[in-house]
Amino acid sequence: MKKYFLFIFLLPAVLQAQEILTLENAVGTALEKSYDIKVAQMQQEASELQVFKGNAGMLPRVDLNANVGSAFNEVSQKLSNGSEINRFGTSLAPTTNLAMSWVLYDGKRMYATLDRLKGQGQLSQLQTRQMMENTVASVMQAYYEVMRQKQTVAFLQTIIKYYEERLTITQQRWEFGKGSKLDYLQSKTELNTQNTQLVQAKNAVKNAKVTLNNLLLRPADQDFDVQEVVGIMFDPTTEQLKSQARAANKGLQALRKSTDISLITQREVAAAKLPRVTLNSSFGYSLSKTNAGLFLYNQNVGLNVGLGATWNIFNGEIVRRQIQTSKINTDILRKQEENLWVQLEADLMRAYNQYQTDKELLKLEEENNEVAEENLKISLEKFKLGGSTILELNEAQRSLNTSLNRLTNARYNIKISELQIMRLSGELVK
């Protein structure tokens, strides 16, 4: 008795210990821990690190050069005045210089390059948001699946209560000789069938939780409960959806940015047709020491400054072909953007139509469920009083079973439809 009392005393604490995972917390955890998002963010950081003037060639280049040379040689000379020189000589010649090269003008190629680097950084940001959007959609769908399986368990438990009551009635009738044993056996079979479905449904709940835990990078066996999310949160008009999708859909935004980058690339390539002006300067020091030459010691310190200009007149039409190729790539991206919008608009309308249909179906299923449950209660009372057959009761039970199953699926389907609309319109991640 003490053991039972202790169990009852500890039961509330056990129930309270189970984590209640809200949808907001699940999404927040996924955004914080997702490996895919972290990789995308690191790629974005790497892309943004490339956006600086020096990488575009807008800053001077300064090099420090140094060299030390030494020579060993034997000198044998006979001069016209009759003197002779025979000496083993050594020489040392250290040199160093500080050189600068600065492109002053290159047809504004450097400015186009900087703009392209900025565009690539912005494209990387959009790709990160796309990854976040995909992650959020996966987490929300997995969360709704846990909800659906949990509701399935709940409606099966409700159904089983009616089957247990039916079994009790048929058993009592059979034992008192007022009913058929066949009715009792059929009732027991039906109850076992429902219990089997309940076992399978509980396992489906566990597997759905494993899937969600996996997306959240949590231990697969970590238990939790979810909150019901039934209310409609998103109900725009078709025009609002189209307008929002054109402005915020991540796929469209990425293609637009790619088109902008392609246009900038055209400017980069076209700049090769213009002259290039470079400022060159160097400050140097050199020393030469030898014991076997005409000059035994020679030292130089000097500053050189100059302008250089190059202008390519002909290079085998390489630049012209590069410009043509770049224009074609830009046209391809524009066509892809147009095609994506056509597909997106169709997907959006299908999703909106499905969403409206799911709302109507949900309302109908809620009404059907109320009718089916009331019908079963009446049928069960009539069966108790002997006013109906077991076949009629069985049909009422199956109707409620079907109704509850459809209601559970309708609640799930409307959340999935809502999720699809939010993702297509760009409302899911802002």
Side-chain angles (χ1 to χ4, degrees):
M1 182 67 183
K2 291 181 178 179
K3 291 182 179 179
Y4 288 114
F5 177 79
L6 182 62
F7 175 76
I8 293 173
F9 179 77
L10 293 177
L11 183 59
V14 173
L15 293 177
Q16 290 177 359
Q18 187 179 36
E19 175 192 5
I20 304 297
L21 180 65
T22 65
L23 180 59
E24 291 79 8
N25 289 339
V27 169
T29 300
L31 291 176
E32 179 183 356
K33 294 184 177 181
S34 170
Y35 290 128
D36 291 335
I37 292 178
K38 287 182 178 179
V39 169
Q41 288 173 337
M42 287 188 286
Q43 291 173 338
Q44 175 184 334
E45 183 180 2
S47 180
E48 291 173 346
L49 283 173
Q50 303 304 310
V51 185
F52 61 99
K53 291 184 177 181
N55 199 26
M58 301 177 72
L59 299 179
R61 172 171 176 165
V62 179
D63 295 303
L64 177 63
N65 305 299
N67 181 54
V68 177
S70 180
F72 303 91
N73 50 27
E74 184 176 353
V75 179
S76 180
Q77 296 177 335
K78 185 180 290 188
L79 304 180
S80 60
N81 59 7
S83 61
E84 293 185 4
I85 299 175
N86 291 289
R87 186 182 305 166
F88 180 79
T90 61
S91 64
L92 179 67
T95 62
T96 181
N97 75 304
L98 191 66
M100 181 198 72
S101 178
W102 193 353
V103 177
L104 301 180
Y105 179 77
D106 63 351
K108 296 187 177 180
R109 178 188 179 92
M110 63 184 77
Y111 296 98
T113 301
L114 184 61
D115 289 341
R116 175 176 57 80
L117 293 172
K118 290 178 180 179
Q120 289 173 342
Q122 293 165 355
L123 178 60
S124 182
Q125 290 178 0
L126 289 172
Q127 290 168 343
T128 300
R129 291 175 187 172
Q130 279 186 298
M131 184 58 66
M132 294 172 66
E133 188 175 67
N134 294 337
T135 300
V136 170
S138 297
V139 169
M140 291 179 69
Q141 188 167 351
Y143 191 93
Y144 295 150
E145 179 62 20
V146 176
M147 281 176 46
R148 177 169 71 161
Q149 298 301 337
K150 179 183 172 184
Q151 290 171 357
T152 300
V153 169
F155 92 66
L156 284 172
Q157 290 172 337
T158 301
I159 285 289
I160 285 173
K161 291 179 181 178
Y162 290 109
Y163 277 92
E164 289 174 341
E165 187 174 358
R166 166 183 161 180
L167 178 63
T168 301
I169 296 171
T170 54
Q171 183 178 6
Q172 290 175 350
R173 286 184 177 180
W174 169 57
E175 290 175 348
F176 288 106
K178 295 183 179 180
S180 168
K181 184 178 181 180
L182 182 61
D183 289 348
Y184 165 71
L185 294 176
Q186 184 179 354
S187 298
K188 190 171 184 178
T189 300
E190 295 284 351
L191 177 59
N192 288 338
T193 300
Q194 296 302 317
N195 280 322
T196 299
Q197 292 181 1
L198 179 60
V199 171
Q200 294 173 340
K202 288 181 177 179
N203 183 62
V205 172
K206 293 179 181 178
N207 288 335
K209 289 182 178 180
V210 169
T211 300
L212 183 54
N213 279 329
N214 182 50
L215 290 172
L216 302 182
L217 299 179
R218 308 196 313 175
D221 59 349
Q222 182 171 339
D223 194 19
F224 60 91
D225 197 8
V226 296
Q227 287 184 340
E228 298 296 322
V229 183
V230 180
I232 307 302
M233 299 185 298
F234 190 63
D235 192 19
T237 64
T238 55
E239 292 305 316
Q240 288 174 334
L241 281 177
K242 290 180 181 180
S243 175
Q244 180 66 22
R246 277 193 177 276
N249 181 269
K250 304 302 182 294
L252 275 177
Q253 287 180 337
L255 269 177
R256 290 191 191 113
K257 183 54 63 177
S258 296
T259 304
D260 292 341
I261 293 172
S262 183
L263 289 170
I264 294 171
T265 303
Q266 289 184 36
R267 289 163 46 198
E268 278 188 288
V269 176
K273 298 170 66 176
L274 298 175
R276 176 186 176 95
V277 179
T278 307
L279 172 65
N280 300 303
S281 177
S282 67
F283 178 79
Y285 169 80
S286 66
L287 172 66
S288 175
K289 293 177 67 177
T290 180
N291 63 350
L294 182 62
F295 298 101
L296 300 181
Y297 182 89
N298 185 21
Q299 177 179 276
N300 288 300
V301 177
L303 173 65
N304 298 315
V305 179
L307 285 175
T310 60
W311 192 353
N312 178 257
I313 305 301
F314 180 76
N315 67 346
E317 297 189 345
I318 293 177
V319 173
R320 188 171 69 86
R321 296 299 177 93
Q322 287 177 340
I323 293 174
Q324 289 176 344
T325 302
S326 182
K327 288 181 178 179
I328 291 173
N329 290 334
T330 303
D331 290 339
I332 290 173
L333 288 169
R334 284 172 173 161
K335 293 297 181 184
Q336 289 176 339
E337 181 183 342
E338 292 174 5
N339 180 62
L340 180 59
W341 170 246
V342 171
Q343 299 302 320
L344 177 60
E345 187 178 29
D347 291 342
L348 203 54
M349 289 302 97
R350 281 192 289 265
Y352 180 81
N353 293 336
Q354 185 63 50
Y355 184 56
Q356 299 301 322
T357 300
D358 287 338
K359 286 199 294 184
E360 293 181 16
L361 290 175
L362 178 59
K363 184 177 180 181
L364 289 173
E365 294 302 341
E366 287 174 342
E367 294 176 356
N368 288 339
N369 181 65
E370 293 177 1
V371 173
E373 188 169 7
E374 184 178 2
N375 179 51
L376 177 56
K377 290 178 179 179
I378 294 173
S379 298
L380 191 59
E381 288 299 321
K382 289 178 63 179
F383 184 72
K384 287 180 183 179
L385 300 174
S388 65
T389 65
I390 194 170
L391 292 176
E392 293 175 345
L393 178 59
N394 191 43
E395 183 61 29
Q397 287 179 313
R398 289 182 179 177
S399 295
L400 180 59
N401 195 340
T402 302
S403 174
L404 284 171
N405 186 45
R406 288 205 308 255
L407 178 59
T408 299
N409 289 331
R411 288 172 176 170
Y412 172 79
N413 290 338
I414 197 168
K415 299 310 296 179
I416 296 300
S417 297
E418 181 185 54
L419 174 61
Q420 178 72 349
I421 288 179
M422 293 178 69
R423 186 182 66 81
L424 290 172
S425 64
E427 280 287 318
L428 194 58
V429 175
K430 295 184 177 180

